[in-house]
Amino acid sequence: MNAPAEFPIDTPAGPALVTTPAPRDIWWELAGKDPDTNPSQTPHWLDCLCASGPYRDASRLYEFERGRRLVLPLVGRRRRPPFLDAAESWPAQWGIGGPVCPESVGPAEARAVLADLARLRALRIAVRLRPADQAVWAAAAAGFDLQPHMTQMVDLDGGFGVVWEQRIGRRMRREVRRAERSDVDVEVDRSGRLVPAFYELYRKSIVRWAEQQHEPLALARWRRTREFPEKRLAEVAARLGDGCAIWMAWRAGEPAGACIVLRHGGHAKMWRSAMDRELAHPVRAVPLLYRLAIEDACEASCRTFDMGESAPGSSLAEFKAGFGAESFSSPRLLRERIPVSAADRRLRSAVKRLIRFQDP
């Protein structure tokens, strides 16, 4: 890790001191005090990026007058000149980043942070906001494009009894009861022991997803394993420890379905899931795993259970809504010196039309 560099900046909120990379002790302190900190906003998450991808720690600590402090988790790209760098919180597929601050951030401080980022020489700057921050930060994002994203979350207030009776839908409760009567066994691993078993299911899921989306299997395997290699999962399991739970459903001794739940403070997040449809679907293994994971989060005194992003109106969004998940805006702020993202979207759209790709 590089030695932190400090430099003052003048902001609409008054003079501020920026330290980069952000000192870990201060980051952990603020993450522990900020009730909205997600598992993906901790130093461990940044370490997972750097250990499993071409990233370096570019996090920034902002210290304003009157003692207010804010950490922005951020990574840059290794071995790139500044004018080709990408400063992101986080890169695509790595989830929600954004500021960590125990106190409410005002518009002046949000503008100060974004103005500081805009001065970077990086080709691309991106910050994915959590729902609790999007109102203030989106309003302060002059010069940034606002890309719409949403995440679906279950409110765990009142405990699992309330969630089960009042938020999980009747149809989903029937599915879970059917699973409980079936020949399926469930275990949870918080040590990383089940990483290979999960990834075996993930590879099987790639075949199913390719068929559903009319995507050549070789392309699907290359794309999916590149964006989510087994090494990444192993790093997350190792570094998050008991904050990473792999829930596995077994049928006749074979892995049928699995999901990964991350946890920090009052927040749990469904990160990844996979299944062998022929084994899992007849016994409704996946609904059972979700039910157990939500109950576990309630027992750990979590306030929310983030089920992740899905396309509005899709079957996946409807499935999550069956567990009581509501949709919340979680936009991505993007600033580019050259519109490479727009060009990339056009290229991807052209390829999709060529192969008759069907979005889920």
Side-chain angles (χ1 to χ4, degrees), residues 12 21 87 125 278:
I125 300 164
E278 292 184 0

Side-chain angles (χ1 to χ4, degrees), residues 12 53 71 82 136 157 163 179 216 302 339-340:
V71 164
V136 170
D157 185 47
V163 174
C302 291
V340 292

Side-chain angles (χ1 to χ4, degrees), residues 7-297:
F7 53 91
I9 58 173
D10 291 321
T11 79
L17 181 67
V18 179
T19 304
T20 182
R24 293 302 179 87
D25 57 341
I26 297 178
W27 186 349
W28 278 117
E29 177 189 347
L30 298 183
K33 293 179 179 178
D34 184 347
D36 293 313
T37 299
N38 287 305
S40 56
Q41 291 182 291
T42 66
H44 283 333
W45 196 249
L46 184 145
D47 290 338
C48 292
L49 271 83
C50 295
S52 63
Y55 305 110
R56 58 179 173 80
D57 185 352
S59 57
R60 299 170 87 81
L61 166 67
Y62 295 87
E63 297 178 276
F64 296 96
E65 289 187 314
R66 297 182 297 277
R68 178 168 293 183
R69 298 177 298 174
L70 176 156
V71 164
L72 181 67
L74 199 69
V75 291
R77 298 297 179 103
R78 292 200 304 262
R79 295 185 294 275
R80 281 193 187 181
F83 65 92
L84 292 178
D85 199 4
E88 298 174 290
S89 180
W90 297 114
Q93 307 302 325
W94 278 99
I96 291 174
V100 176
C101 183
E103 303 171 338
S104 297
V105 175
E109 289 148 337
R111 287 195 299 269
V113 171
L114 294 177
D116 173 60
L117 295 180
R119 286 191 290 266
L120 298 177
R121 296 177 60 193
L123 176 64
R124 179 172 67 249
I125 300 164
V127 179
R128 175 76 186 276
L129 299 173
R130 57 193 182 187
D133 297 323
Q134 63 97 17
V136 170
W137 287 80
F144 284 77
D145 293 329
L146 195 65
Q147 297 185 325
H149 291 269
M150 68 94 173
T151 189
Q152 291 178 268
M153 295 194 295
V154 182
D155 179 5
L156 303 184
D157 185 47
F160 184 71
V162 172
V163 174
W164 176 257
E165 295 293 339
Q166 300 181 16
R167 297 179 191 138
I168 296 179
R170 183 178 302 174
R171 177 177 173 274
M172 201 58 69
R173 294 200 300 268
R174 287 200 303 269
E175 297 278 277
V176 170
R177 292 190 182 105
R178 178 176 173 179
E180 291 172 336
R181 296 191 298 268
S182 67
D183 59 336
V184 60
D185 298 310
V186 175
E187 67 172 314
V188 58
D189 165 46
R190 305 183 197 273
S191 69
R193 176 177 53 85
L194 290 178
V195 165
F198 180 92
Y199 211 79
E200 176 187 345
L201 284 176
Y202 183 73
R203 291 183 183 277
K204 291 181 178 180
S205 295
I206 292 174
V207 178
R208 186 180 77 256
W209 295 330
E211 293 173 351
Q212 292 173 343
Q213 296 172 172
H214 200 267
E215 182 178 9
L217 181 56
L219 176 61
R221 281 176 171 155
W222 175 83
R223 184 172 63 87
R224 297 277 187 173
T225 57
R226 183 171 177 266
E227 73 182 21
F228 183 58
E230 185 173 356
K231 178 182 178 182
R232 179 174 301 175
L233 173 55
E235 287 289 345
V236 170
R239 293 177 185 273
L240 269 65
D242 61 6
C244 174
I246 302 177
W247 292 85
M248 181 71 67
W250 301 86
R251 188 179 178 200
E254 295 293 327
C259 63
I260 302 172
V261 179
L262 311 178
R263 192 171 72 211
H264 174 80
H267 295 270
K269 176 176 176 55
M270 180 73 68
W271 185 43
R272 298 276 178 171
S273 61
M275 70 172 175
D276 182 329
R277 184 174 177 82
E278 292 184 0
L279 290 175
H281 185 68
V283 295
R284 304 302 190 266
V286 173
L288 176 60
L289 291 173
Y290 277 47
R291 176 250 191 246
L292 293 172
I294 291 174
E295 182 179 23
D296 182 68

